[in-house]
Amino acid sequence: MDPDPAPIVDPDPAPVVDPDPAPVEEPPRFQVLTRGARLLEVDTQQRFFLFRRDGDTFAQALPTGEPVRITAPSEGVVTSSDRSAAVLWSPEVGGVRTLWFWRPGMSGAVTVSHQVRGAVLFDPALSYVAFLERDAQDVAFVRVARTETCTDAACPLATPLQVQGGKPVLSSGGKTLLLSDGPRGWLIDVPSSAVTDLGLLRGPPFISPKGTRYGVHTPDDSVQLFDTATRTPLWEHVWKDDVWHPGWWSIGALMLDEVNVLVNTEGQWGPVAPPLYHITYVCDAQGCRSTPAVNETCSRSRLEKLPALACYHDPCATRGCAQGFSRHVDSTGAYIPGTIGDIVLGPTFSDDQGTVMGRVIKEYRPGSPPTLVLEMTEGAQKLSLAQTSHNPFGPLLFVPNPKRLLFRQMKTLSDGATQSRIVTWDGGHSVVEVGELAPNDQPAGASIVRDNPPTLYMDVSPTPDDAGAPRSIIRVPL
């Protein structure tokens, strides 16, 4: 038998060809937790999982509990940082949705509101949930539920602020809410319900993720940043570059950390007709500078737990140029490693904020056909694994402790039949087959990895591209 592949370290050598994983005479099949269901969430301690089935939302104790209906059909769910509580929301109907809160031990999820409009906001611990409601007289109400007060019967709501008319937008940073209506702004401290009226500002306000800073992007092309606790001005800079980008204008500002302000701008390269082009600037205490995101439109995104901007190429002004290529920019304006290239699967990031990344790329070498390469990057070290017989498929996930990359791969048996295997790779010598999916089953929808013990929870279906196809939820020990 050929030896296992050795890892490759930068600078960019040709990848070692990976033999098929060692044959398994009877690979294990995986436990089916429930059928005809779609996975929503699994708590960190793997005490329960949430899923949707037959038009309702259920909770089920792990590993062998019975399903318990907790609420009507939910479109999505967010859980607390320790996964000990959850907020669920319904599909939007007529501009409003229903919001529920649930924790283990409750007889069912309790209704928080039937009239939620716009974003649902919370902190990582899910100590509160906040949102806007609006009545028939066009009054917008800021509603806040402190989840520690929720019982089986109700979640008491506070209303720290209300405004008449306008187009108010609610955002949050930590336990601070920011209500903005054009250039008018208010800060709301969630624990105390105290409201600070910021008055009429020089431009639309924004807030940092932890709420320690808020800022204003002014009409005269400058950015101001303030300390939230004291409202003290920290700095003000002009982002506009009249030498290289005369006549350009901003289309929004935001923060992905507590230091840097990212400003999206658009304009034209000289006296030419549309399309418009875009540049992202990053401003901090030292000033403003343009980022590598040139001729790309960027918007807030996330890569696993990593806050980011997702950037997409502007429409081509000439024939033959690339279109639809995307990459990601971090809070400092730098491109996130591993998101530039001909990615055909991934990227995916480990839990340590993206310092380790796995992806599948097309590698082109002179005189050779394209090769699919599985690649893992950590700092300056790059480890590669070439795929020759069978391409890797999703899900592409990281498994912690020890850190491994999980993916799916087809295996050809001696009789010519194929099987779908779940495998893991540690970036070095070890490629391990975890087990085999049932015939015709393919990943479909959610795939969640939990630790202690390492376990994969996954939706599977014979037809993953059909939203109406029956699904099962399986449990895969890793």
Side-chain angles (χ1 to χ4, degrees):
M1 179 181 296
D2 292 338
D4 286 328
I8 304 168
V9 181
D10 264 349
D12 197 27
V16 174
V17 174
D18 173 39
D20 284 337
V24 178
E25 295 298 328
E26 295 183 0
R29 294 282 177 85
F30 305 127
Q31 176 189 2
V32 177
L33 295 175
T34 187
R35 300 186 185 278
R38 298 182 181 223
L39 180 64
L40 291 173
E41 183 60 280
V42 182
D43 81 298
T44 301
Q45 287 76 36
Q46 300 181 64
R47 297 167 299 171
F48 64 87
F49 67 105
L50 302 176
F51 60 92
R52 190 170 67 247
R53 183 175 67 192
D54 297 332
D56 288 308
T57 303
F58 294 81
Q60 183 171 325
L62 288 167
T64 57
E66 293 296 322
V68 176
R69 181 191 180 278
I70 61 172
T71 192
S74 56
E75 182 181 71
V77 59
V78 62
T79 57
S80 58
S81 51
D82 63 0
R83 302 305 198 276
S84 64
V87 167
L88 307 97
W89 56 90
S90 72
E92 187 176 276
V93 178
V96 299
R97 64 178 76 245
T98 298
L99 194 67
W100 300 280
F101 175 79
W102 178 83
R103 68 167 65 95
M106 281 185 164
S107 58
V110 59
T111 300
V112 180
S113 172
H114 290 297
Q115 298 295 321
V116 176
R117 292 181 179 271
V120 176
L121 306 174
F122 43 83
D123 62 339
L126 210 60
S127 67
Y128 75 89
V129 57
F131 49 90
L132 287 176
E133 292 182 347
R134 188 182 290 271
D135 67 11
Q137 286 71 46
D138 201 28
V139 177
F141 302 88
V142 177
R143 305 291 198 193
V144 180
R146 298 180 65 175
T147 57
E148 64 183 12
T149 67
C150 293
T151 67
D152 282 9
C155 269
L157 289 176
T159 307
L161 184 63
Q162 64 186 59
V163 294
Q164 175 71 48
K167 297 180 179 180
V169 175
L170 190 64
S171 55
S172 67
K175 294 185 179 182
T176 301
L177 302 176
L178 172 65
L179 183 70
S180 59
D181 188 3
R184 186 77 186 270
W186 298 263
L187 294 172
I188 304 169
D189 179 69
V190 171
S192 67
S193 293
V195 176
T196 301
D197 188 346
L198 300 178
L200 192 62
L201 303 167
R202 291 171 56 191
F206 53 87
I207 193 167
S208 64
K210 294 182 180 179
T212 65
R213 304 286 185 265
Y214 72 92
V216 173
H217 185 229
T218 71
D220 55 359
D221 303 315
S222 67
V223 178
Q224 295 176 293
L225 196 67
F226 298 84
D227 180 271
T228 302
T230 64
R231 297 175 57 190
T232 303
L234 299 176
W235 51 255
E236 180 175 0
H237 298 299
V238 174
W239 64 263
K240 194 169 185 178
D241 184 349
D242 287 324
V243 175
W244 296 103
H245 312 124
W248 284 52
W249 58 92
S250 69
I251 55 174
L254 60 107
M255 299 182 74
L256 300 178
D257 60 19
E258 307 303 297
V259 176
N260 301 283
V261 178
L262 293 155
V263 183
N264 281 319
T265 71
E266 67 181 10
Q268 296 177 343
W269 297 106
V272 296
L276 296 173
Y277 292 95
H278 297 83
I279 292 176
T280 300
Y281 288 83
V282 59
C283 302
D284 56 21
Q286 283 68 52
C288 297
R289 64 189 182 278
S290 62
T291 73
V294 175
N295 292 352
E296 292 177 337
T297 302
C298 300
S299 59
R300 190 188 299 271
S301 178
R302 290 190 78 83
L303 290 175
E304 312 300 336
K305 295 182 178 180
L306 180 71
L309 292 183
C311 300
Y312 301 89
H313 270 320
D314 288 329
C316 288
T318 61
R319 296 180 62 185
C321 56
Q323 298 189 49
F325 178 71
S326 65
R327 45 188 138 193
H328 293 83
V329 174
D330 68 15
S331 62
T332 69
Y335 282 135
I336 294 174
T339 63
I340 303 175
D342 294 321
I343 302 170
V344 295
L345 183 63
T348 190
F349 292 81
S350 63
D351 283 342
D352 51 6
Q353 296 297 294
T355 58
V356 180
M357 183 278 299
R359 63 177 172 149
V360 177
I361 63 172
K362 289 181 179 178
E363 179 135 319
Y364 298 94
R365 295 192 178 277
S368 301
T371 302
L372 284 173
V373 178
L374 194 65
E375 188 175 272
M376 189 184 297
T377 304
E378 183 167 15
Q381 188 179 48
K382 185 192 301 182
L383 308 171
S384 299
L385 196 66
Q387 308 293 304
T388 55
S389 56
H390 294 288
N391 294 336
F393 297 94
L396 186 68
L397 301 168
F398 267 103
V399 182
N401 300 325
K403 193 176 294 178
R404 293 161 287 157
L405 194 64
L406 176 145
F407 58 98
R408 183 170 60 95
Q409 194 167 42
M410 301 303 295
K411 184 178 182 67
T412 302
L413 306 180
S414 57
D415 61 1
T418 59
Q419 291 179 341
S420 182
R421 303 285 178 88
I422 299 293
V423 300
T424 62
W425 173 51
D426 66 359
H429 297 282
S430 181
V431 178
V432 177
E433 284 190 355
V434 176
E436 173 195 355
L437 292 177
N440 300 320
D441 270 353
Q442 301 180 58
S447 298
I448 299 172
V449 169
R450 291 285 175 253
D451 200 11
N452 297 319
T455 307
L456 169 69
Y457 297 85
M458 184 167 62
D459 284 344
V460 293
S461 170
T463 53
D465 294 330
D466 182 359
R471 299 187 186 186
S472 298
I473 300 173
I474 64 171
R475 182 176 182 270
V476 180
L478 301 174

